[in-house]
Amino acid sequence: MRQTRGMQSMIASNAICRVTTMLLLRMPPIDLNLLPALDILLTERSVTIAARRLGLSVSATSRTLTRLRSATGDPLLVQAGRSLVPTPYAEQLAGRVHMLAREAREVLAPVTDHMDPALLERTFTIRANEGFVALFAAALVAAITKAAPHVRLRFAPKPDKEVAPLRDGRIDLEIGTTGTSAPEMRSQLLFRDHFIGAARLRHPLLEHPVTPQLYAACGHVVTSRRGASTGPVDDALREMGLRREIVVIVPSFPDALDIARRSDLIALVPRTCLRDGEMTARGLQGFDLPVATPELAISAMWHPRLDADPAHRWLRQTLMAICRKEART
């Protein structure tokens, strides 16, 4: 019985689809090219003037008016002495037609670079780690608020590098190092960075030149979203036959710096996380690592569909200016 009902439901559904298709095929085709012509004819109420605006001959414009009358089933414009006057139906249509024609032109017009940030009303979502937010968010918010008072920024947490939020529009911009998991994504270099060590002021390690041996002998706090305890520094030390002791793993660079400031542990952070003017005030001192590590290329990443969006382009340009300025500080 259940199978019979299922088959009946499927047959009924297929029948509805066939009827709908037949009705659509029987509908007369709509020539949207008639829309701007109708707008101009109702505005000018003159075939001759409308012909000049449309770039057509008077006879071609007259034929267009005939087609419009046939499509609407109304005379639209009728002779009154030497001029044309609209019918009541045409008067009802005039406002709607003008709005539709204008919207159609806007939809089909090429994307323009001109965009006034002061008039922009939009919320942008930026995914970045805590270190980036701590370093750049205040300056970026100040610049955005000054130029575009109706724009809102939302900083989303970055637990991973999953690209789905960029693809489905939940994220407008991703900040970090580029990867290969989503080759279609666009990217723009914001600044280059490198790792340094950080220790509390008057730490015993800083009383002498920092050698690989002295560095490895200290306890360390490292940053990893995924809980990883080793990285490029450990690879370089291993080549020298050395191994550092990882005491704490934290999810963010600010956390690592706070622990280093309050203990004898050594933190490993990007140079931009510990700018010279803030080191002493924060009770920290930075130092060059005694081993070589790869350079960090920090980029902004976005989905290709936002490439030509003037508002998104303005956001990217503003972000780049702020990052390059703050990274040099």
Side-chain angles (χ1 to χ4, degrees):
M1 179 64 70
R2 291 181 180 176
Q3 185 176 3
T4 301
R5 289 180 179 176
M7 292 179 63
Q8 290 174 345
S9 176
M10 183 180 300
I11 292 171
S13 177
N14 291 338
I16 292 173
C17 289
R18 286 197 298 271
V19 171
T20 302
T21 302
M22 290 174 62
L23 290 174
L24 289 173
L25 291 174
R26 291 177 181 176
M27 290 178 62
I30 300 174
D31 186 356
L32 294 180
N33 289 320
L34 295 175
L35 184 62
L38 178 58
D39 179 36
I40 292 174
L41 281 165
L42 294 181
T43 300
E44 301 297 344
R45 302 182 184 184
S46 166
V47 173
T48 302
I49 298 175
R52 285 200 295 266
R53 288 187 57 185
L54 291 168
L56 300 174
S57 66
V58 173
S59 60
T61 304
S62 180
R63 289 194 297 272
T64 299
L65 179 56
T66 300
R67 293 178 60 195
L68 284 165
R69 287 167 173 166
S70 175
T72 61
D74 187 87
L76 298 174
L77 295 169
V78 297
Q79 201 72 36
R82 295 185 176 181
S83 61
L84 296 175
V85 295
T87 65
Y89 180 65
E91 289 180 338
Q92 294 176 16
L93 285 181
R96 291 172 55 198
V97 168
H98 183 70
M99 180 183 67
L100 288 171
R102 182 184 63 191
E103 290 182 352
R105 285 192 295 269
E106 290 175 354
V107 167
L108 298 176
V111 176
T112 175
D113 288 339
H114 177 71
M115 191 276 302
D116 186 355
L119 302 178
L120 181 61
E121 295 186 17
R122 189 158 164 181
T123 297
F124 292 106
T125 300
I126 301 174
R127 186 167 67 174
N129 62 36
E130 294 89 339
F132 180 89
V133 174
L135 183 61
F136 297 102
L140 180 61
V141 169
I144 294 291
T145 302
K146 181 179 180 180
H150 305 297
V151 165
R152 299 293 176 264
L153 294 181
R154 174 179 173 265
F155 287 96
K158 187 177 179 179
D160 50 46
K161 291 188 176 183
E162 174 59 47
V163 299
L166 283 170
R167 285 174 171 157
D168 62 27
R170 284 176 288 160
I171 301 297
D172 295 293
L173 272 179
E174 167 100 13
I175 309 299
T177 55
T178 57
T180 58
S181 59
E184 81 273 21
M185 294 298 166
R186 302 288 190 265
S187 65
Q188 184 176 39
L189 179 67
L190 296 175
F191 60 92
R192 297 187 183 278
D193 207 347
H194 62 272
F195 280 111
I196 63 170
R200 65 171 176 82
L201 294 177
R202 294 178 294 278
H203 192 288
L205 174 67
L206 304 177
E207 295 175 358
H208 310 279
V210 180
T211 64
Q213 291 75 17
L214 290 175
Y215 177 77
C218 295
H220 295 262
V221 50
V222 299
T223 301
S224 173
R225 294 191 304 270
R226 301 178 181 177
S229 60
T230 60
V233 169
D234 301 282
D235 295 338
L237 289 172
R238 190 178 302 111
E239 292 181 359
M240 300 178 181
L242 300 171
R243 178 178 176 274
R244 61 177 179 159
E245 181 184 3
I246 306 299
V247 178
V248 184
I249 302 173
V250 293
S252 73
F253 294 121
D255 292 336
L257 289 173
D258 187 58
I259 290 175
R261 182 174 63 87
R262 299 168 182 264
S263 69
D264 281 339
L265 298 182
I266 304 300
L268 180 70
V269 298
R271 184 196 62 81
T272 51
C273 285
L274 200 60
R275 291 178 288 188
D276 294 339
E278 298 179 358
M279 288 185 184
T280 303
R282 296 176 64 177
L284 291 163
Q285 183 173 340
F287 60 90
D288 292 333
L289 295 175
V291 295
T293 58
E295 185 180 59
L296 302 172
I298 309 302
S299 300
M301 291 155 279
W302 64 94
H303 195 274
R305 70 176 181 280
L306 295 172
D307 250 355
D309 178 29
H312 196 273
R313 185 183 298 119
W314 168 78
L315 173 67
R316 300 195 304 262
Q317 292 170 346
T318 304
L319 176 66
M320 174 176 284
I322 291 298
C323 285
R324 290 185 174 177
K325 177 182 176 182
E326 293 296 314
R328 290 195 301 266
T329 302

